[in-house]
Every structure is written in structure tokens, then in C-alpha cells.
Amino acid sequence: MTSLFGHERPLAAILCGGRSRRMGRDKALLPHRHGGSLLQHACALALTTGLETVCLSSPGHGHRQHLATTPALRQVTVLEEQPPLEGPLLALGKLMTTYPGRPILLLACDLPNLTPPLLNTLATPLPPRRVRLATDGIRQQPLLASYGSGLAANLHQAVAAGVRSFRQWLPGLQVEWLRVPSTALVNLNNPQDLAATHDDNHP
């Protein structure tokens, strides 16, 4: 069923093709404190929420094979982004080209505190040219956000004009702010961040 705004549910797109320089190893394959890897956890949550799920990877990371080790995750489509890798904004543009007319729920693979209620709220139908973006009132996380089905032309024009970051692109859009706890925005950039998530006192 489709909604007033088009597709009832967005495509969940999990970004896991980064170089992970500060972490020193592939963040997507890091262990999640509840078991499995960060990538497996994010994909499982998206599927549990009822979303068609794709993983945007890069060659040589083995993410397709990694997901295939879990039968329930074999339905995740793995897309390999060919070099040069130009950051998450251009990755979103490629996803909009590959899946024209689809709203996209964009997720970074290194967000360990995702929950089904949060993903369900993000996946609520959205007007075609609007963004629903998670914030704790101080920080914003454009890789925990839904992008409407009508934003492709705007994004492609911005990229053609030299825009390369969400910080540059988002101010010109209609943004619906989704207030979330600060813990929802935690992402893992270095070994210290990873250790903190496995601390017994971590929420």
C-alpha cells in the first residue's frame, strides 16, 4: 500500500563503506554488545521494522559474505560503491539514482543504540521534498534520517554545483526535526568509543 506521499515505507540504506581510519579496522564488522556485528545489528533492526534493506559497501570489505553467514540477513541487498568514494552525501545521491522515486531512511552502520521504535518513527511517511532528521537538540545526525522521494533533483543539482556535505546541503531543505535521546546519536569513531559501549554501565 502507498500513502498520500508515495511509498508507505522507505528503503533502509545502511552505509558501511567508509575507511574507518580512526578506528583502525572496519567499523561495520566490530562486535555489537548484544551479539553479532554492528552491520548485522543494523540490518536486523531494519528488517524487523519491516523495511526493505540495502547495504552500501565498497569492494574488498567482504560485507556480502559477512551478512550471508546469517540466514535471516541474506535478503539484504549489498551494493558495492566503486572508487573514488566521495562521502555519504554522494552515496545518498547514488542511492536515489539506483532507487528512483523511493524515500530513503539513511543509517550509518556505526550507530550502536538504534531501536525498532526509533526506526519506525523515522520510517513514517514523509512529504516528497522533506527530510526527517534526528537531533538531541544540540547535535544533528544526517546519517540517522529519512529523505523524501522528491529530493533527488535537488541533491543532484547541489552536487553539480560543488556541494559535498550534508552541512552544506541541508540548510536549503524543509527539515522535520525528530528529537531523540543523546544516546541514540552515539557513533563509534575510535577504539575508546567501542570500549565505552561495552562498559557494563553503558545504557
Side-chain angles (χ1 to χ4, degrees), residues 126-148:
L126 190 66
R129 293 179 177 82
R130 189 173 297 175
V131 178
R132 180 177 294 123
L133 200 156
T135 179
D136 63 359
I138 299 173
R139 296 174 297 163
Q140 307 167 9
Q141 179 48 277
L143 304 187
L144 182 56
S146 287
Y147 295 88

Side-chain angles (χ1 to χ4, degrees), residues 36-48 53 55 63-64 66-78:
S37 67
L38 290 177
L39 177 58
Q40 289 170 329
H41 181 73
C43 289
L45 280 179
L47 292 173
T48 298
T53 303
C55 164
H63 294 148
R64 190 189 312 276
H66 177 66
L67 290 174
T69 63
T70 303
L73 301 182
R74 291 174 186 168
Q75 60 187 293
V76 175
T77 299
V78 179

Side-chain angles (χ1 to χ4, degrees), residues 1-142:
M1 179 184 295
T2 58
S3 74
L4 175 65
F5 302 129
H7 287 269
E8 184 177 39
R9 305 284 275 172
L11 176 76
I14 298 167
L15 301 185
C16 59
R19 297 180 178 87
S20 303
R21 290 192 185 97
R22 284 180 286 173
M23 184 63 72
R25 53 183 170 142
D26 186 356
K27 290 196 286 187
L29 304 184
L30 291 173
H32 192 278
R33 66 182 181 277
H34 295 318
S37 67
L38 290 177
L39 177 58
Q40 289 170 329
H41 181 73
C43 289
L45 280 179
L47 292 173
T48 298
T49 308
L51 301 176
E52 180 185 353
T53 303
V54 302
C55 164
L56 189 60
S57 180
S58 57
H61 282 203
H63 294 148
R64 190 189 312 276
Q65 295 82 354
H66 177 66
L67 290 174
T69 63
T70 303
L73 301 182
R74 291 174 186 168
Q75 60 187 293
V76 175
T77 299
V78 179
L79 304 175
E80 291 191 344
E81 184 181 10
Q82 300 301 315
L85 305 181
E86 299 178 281
L89 184 68
L90 271 69
L92 176 60
K94 293 173 184 176
L95 286 163
M96 288 179 171
T97 297
T98 304
Y99 295 93
R102 293 291 303 271
I104 293 176
L105 197 170
L106 199 63
L107 299 171
C109 71
D110 65 344
L111 296 167
N113 298 327
L114 299 175
T115 64
L118 173 55
L119 295 193
N120 267 318
T121 302
L122 282 168
T124 302
L126 190 66
R129 293 179 177 82
R130 189 173 297 175
V131 178
R132 180 177 294 123
L133 200 156
T135 179
D136 63 359
I138 299 173
R139 296 174 297 163
Q140 307 167 9
Q141 179 48 277

Side-chain angles (χ1 to χ4, degrees), residues 170-182:
L170 287 170
L173 304 180
Q174 295 183 58
V175 176
E176 175 185 311
W177 300 102
L178 175 62
R179 192 66 175 262
V180 300
S182 296

